[in-house]
Amino acid sequence: MRAFLGKPAVNLVLAGVAVLFSFNALALEGPGIPGANIANGMKIYNEGKGDTVPSCMTCHGAGGWGLDAMGAPRLAGIGYPYVVKQLSDLASGKRTPEGAGAVMVVFAGGLTPQEWRDVAGYVNTLAGPPDLSNLKELKDSGTTIGERYLGQSIVKYGIIGKVSACSSCHGYNGRGAAPLFPVIGEQKYTYLINQLNSWRAETRTNDPYAMMRKMAKNLTDEDIANIATFLATASPTTAGNTMIPVTNE
């Protein structure tokens, strides 16, 4: 049986390929982490820069695993090109977070494009033990927590007629599909909730071709809580297979 794509679908596919190649150009500029001075990135991350940019570890932790209490996301190993893009978008005003994250516009703007690459390169080398969201602690403090098995179903299979499987772009259990799609598995619960709500409300609009906005608009509050509950503790590996795909090459 032969399948045919209509013109709009073909255009979307071609656009997606163009984005993929643009990210690949960044990812393949050099071996390992292209164009990044890891030592300088580590210095900025741990010590900050002058009086305008405090140390990144203040909110994101020494290991880059984020902090639920501040809504600060995991940065460790989520994808070098993605972090560079986010810092660029923050500095240029293409991404304007709400709440505590609003300070990132100023902090990213206080760094040069080279320093974005340096910091992104450094956090992509962080591979220490995971510091996952404590869902029980969050629930005990009054935070709404979803049903893990329902979130797993959406991540793996989507919702018929509403959304595609998260894994179709972000890979198994959200472990990322470099260079275009970041790691969302083992991401901080609060951050996942905030971002899915922001995509749905279109207060965050820096997703290529509005892909995330189109998905999130069809999610209920319960769907979002379920997805975040599963992803926050989703293992990047399968039983009997401990190999994790390389995301920084």
Side-chain angles (χ1 to χ4, degrees):
M1 181 172 65
R2 183 177 300 174
F4 293 91
L5 290 175
K7 186 174 181 181
V10 170
N11 289 339
L12 183 59
V13 169
L14 291 176
V17 169
V19 172
L20 182 60
F21 274 107
S22 69
F23 273 84
N24 267 317
L26 176 59
L28 298 177
E29 182 181 302
I33 300 173
N37 182 326
I38 303 301
N40 188 50
M42 179 171 68
K43 180 177 175 61
I44 294 172
Y45 187 87
N46 292 325
E47 302 175 18
K49 175 188 174 184
D51 297 326
T52 58
V53 181
S55 68
C56 310
M57 67 178 291
T58 303
C59 296
H60 296 280
W65 280 88
L67 185 63
D68 272 306
M70 299 187 68
R74 165 194 175 181
L75 299 178
I78 65 171
Y80 170 73
Y82 177 78
V83 175
V84 173
K85 180 184 185 300
Q86 298 313 302
L87 289 171
S88 173
D89 286 355
L90 287 162
S92 66
K94 291 180 181 178
R95 179 178 176 184
T96 53
E98 300 174 323
V103 297
M104 281 303 304
V105 174
V106 176
F107 297 162
L111 301 175
T112 67
Q114 178 60 53
E115 289 166 339
W116 300 336
R117 293 190 288 272
D118 297 345
V119 172
Y122 172 66
V123 297
N124 211 51
T125 68
L126 295 175
D131 181 12
L132 305 182
S133 293
N134 188 326
L135 299 182
K136 182 182 183 304
E137 186 177 279
L138 287 170
K139 185 175 182 179
D140 290 344
S141 69
T143 299
T144 300
I145 302 297
E147 294 289 346
R148 194 175 191 279
Y149 77 97
L150 292 175
Q152 182 179 32
S153 177
I154 299 173
V155 170
K156 287 190 172 183
Y157 308 113
I159 304 174
I160 295 175
K162 290 178 63 177
V163 295
S164 302
C166 307
S167 60
S168 62
C169 290
H170 292 277
Y172 175 81
N173 281 9
R175 66 185 178 189
L180 186 57
F181 299 104
V183 174
I184 55 174
E186 298 186 331
Q187 180 57 274
K188 281 290 183 278
Y189 178 83
T190 302
Y191 182 76
L192 289 168
I193 292 287
N194 290 343
Q195 296 315 300
L196 285 169
N197 278 316
S198 293
W199 292 126
R200 186 175 62 177
E202 297 192 345
T203 54
R204 179 176 175 182
T205 59
N206 70 326
D207 50 329
Y209 305 101
M211 288 186 285
M212 282 304 304
R213 281 171 280 171
K214 291 173 183 176
M215 294 296 104
K217 73 177 182 179
N218 292 319
L219 296 174
T220 65
D221 289 345
E222 291 77 14
D223 292 333
I224 289 174
N226 294 337
I227 291 169
T229 297
F230 174 70
L231 286 176
T233 57
S235 172
T237 60
T238 58
N241 179 4
T242 59
M243 294 183 65
I244 300 178
V246 175
T247 59
N248 62 353
E249 294 185 358

